[in-house]
Amino acid sequence: MSIFDTFTPRAGSGNSKWNIPEGAIPMHVADMDFDSPPEVCRAVADRAMSGIMGYQGFTDEYYEAVINWFNTRHGVSGITKDMFIVSPGIVTALTMSVQALTEPDDGVIVQSPVYFPFYSAVDGNGRKTVHNDLIKTENGYRIDFDDLEKKAADASMLLLCSPHNPVGRVWTEEELNRLFKICKKNSLYIVSDEIHCDFILEGKHHSMLEVAKGYDRLVVCTAPSKTFNIAGLSNSNIIVPDKETRDKLQKVYRRDSIGGHNPLSMAATIAAYKYCAGWVDELNHYLKGNRDYAVERLSEHGIDAIRIEGTYLLWVDLSRYSDQPAALLKEHGLIVNEGSTFGDNGKGFVRFNLGCPREGLKKALDRLFEILDGID
Ligand SMILES: Cc1ncc(COP(=O)(O)O)c(C=O)c1O
């Protein structure tokens, strides 16, 4: 029995993932059905009970907790307090980066299939999406470096997802070095979304803060939100090493009056990064078990699922059943993300959330097979 086998019912709480018709099974929104670590819950409650909940700034304890986490957990050195941009979230940071660091009609490279807000950050701000589609191989997805070389010449920025949602890759140091070399040669801004960096089932996360050390056109987006299941508290840490790039980005945040300091998320972040490393290790162990369980059961049914190396989001090929499998499953009470929303090359796939107790995962897979067997 693991602590992650415990389930706190969420229906009726307003939790987005559970805002669904009665009886339906939610495997879509990237929230986990696990309680946040007790240390985090206690820190938030203590801060609330202190009665001090006015406008907030960051404390030295906050900066130290974040810097120390990235140093001890991911081997990132050299982050200093002045490099932080406070943001309510990473999606906001993607949009702000596009606005601040590129011009209208500039090309911004995305590696499809990819987390759908990457597209709105580009198109929604009047820039051109430049597709550097990932290549599906027998061993998972790979970057098409030849295509990237060609496209980089006409682009201003690359939005990197590392680890990658939805294909679950933990990019190797070699891959990232190669990608960085191409970006540097073409003076591209690199905006690296590393929100999933703590979910490592295989391999090691290599932050662009290390891979591209010293590069001036770099924005690295981090957050405790996915790791500790506190996305509703709205907090992220955007690290921008170069002052000129940071000033440009900061200016757009100020122009649009976007801040991110929040006394409750600050308390949660400090407690999480200071006291919950062991919890994250146990979580990864549990998620790895969920991945293996799901991939094996799917394979027994002749269904191909990517054996993800990171994140808790499984990328499942249901193309032989439908071009829009999620719509089909939804009719029968199983809610997953439609692959095509992640890009044209996601058509026929679904994204299936593994962040739940094994019992819940079993029920969801049982429902999936029941539905699919009814079609076969
Ligand atoms: C790759 C990626 N980036 C960003 C986010 C959301 O970040 P935020 O809630 O901080 O905007 C998610 C959420 O699923 C994600 O998967």
Side-chain angles (χ1 to χ4, degrees), residues 156-232:
S156 305
M157 176 181 276
L158 173 109
L159 298 182
L160 175 69
C161 196
S162 174
H164 190 93
N165 169 12
V167 306
R169 276 301 314 280
V170 173
W171 305 116
T172 63
E173 195 172 13
E174 199 188 343
E175 286 171 309
L176 292 171
N177 276 329
R178 202 167 160 193
L179 175 139
F180 172 52
K181 229 170 131 186
I182 296 172
C183 292
K184 190 174 172 197
K185 189 172 132 200
N186 293 282
S187 302
L188 296 192
Y189 280 98
I190 304 169
V191 178
S192 182
D193 177 344
E194 302 187 7
I195 197 169
H196 291 283
C197 69
D198 295 315
F199 299 102
I200 304 298
L201 312 180
E202 315 287 343
K204 180 181 175 338
H205 172 66
H206 297 279
S207 174
M208 285 313 276
L209 288 165
E210 282 297 313
V211 174
K213 217 179 192 110
Y215 188 52
D216 54 347
R217 301 187 163 207
L218 179 66
V219 175
V220 176
C221 305
T222 76
S225 52
K226 296 281 148 193
T227 312
F228 303 98
N229 218 19
I230 51 173

Side-chain angles (χ1 to χ4, degrees), residues 329-342:
L329 299 176
K330 194 175 175 190
E331 284 173 27
H332 299 275
L334 179 62
I335 309 180
V336 293
N337 291 95
E338 196 73 86
S340 55
T341 56
F342 297 84

Side-chain angles (χ1 to χ4, degrees), residues 102-161:
T102 66
E103 298 296 328
D105 287 331
D106 275 5
V108 178
I109 300 176
V110 295
Q111 300 180 303
S112 317
V114 75
Y115 180 54
F116 35 85
F118 276 43
Y119 299 109
S120 40
V122 180
D123 309 340
N125 288 298
R127 273 61 169 173
K128 275 195 255 146
T129 303
V130 177
H131 292 270
N132 171 226
D133 289 355
L134 298 175
I135 303 172
K136 188 167 183 287
T137 73
E138 274 186 5
N139 300 315
Y141 283 78
R142 296 289 178 270
I143 294 171
D144 185 342
F145 284 106
D146 292 338
D147 181 64
L148 181 60
E149 283 260 21
K150 284 186 214 134
K151 308 258 169 89
D154 289 323
S156 305
M157 176 181 276
L158 173 109
L159 298 182
L160 175 69
C161 196

Side-chain angles (χ1 to χ4, degrees), residues 48-96:
M49 291 311 291
S50 76
I52 305 168
M53 284 187 283
Y55 296 123
Q56 182 69 34
F58 283 161
T59 58
D60 280 346
E61 190 186 17
Y62 179 89
Y63 287 116
E64 272 162 31
V66 180
I67 292 170
N68 194 39
W69 179 267
F70 283 93
N71 183 238
T72 54
R73 196 97 194 159
H74 300 297
V76 178
S77 62
I79 304 180
T80 52
K81 284 198 251 181
D82 56 311
M83 293 179 186
F84 283 64
I85 286 189
V86 182
S87 180
I90 287 184
V91 172
T92 307
L94 299 176
T95 292
M96 294 290 112

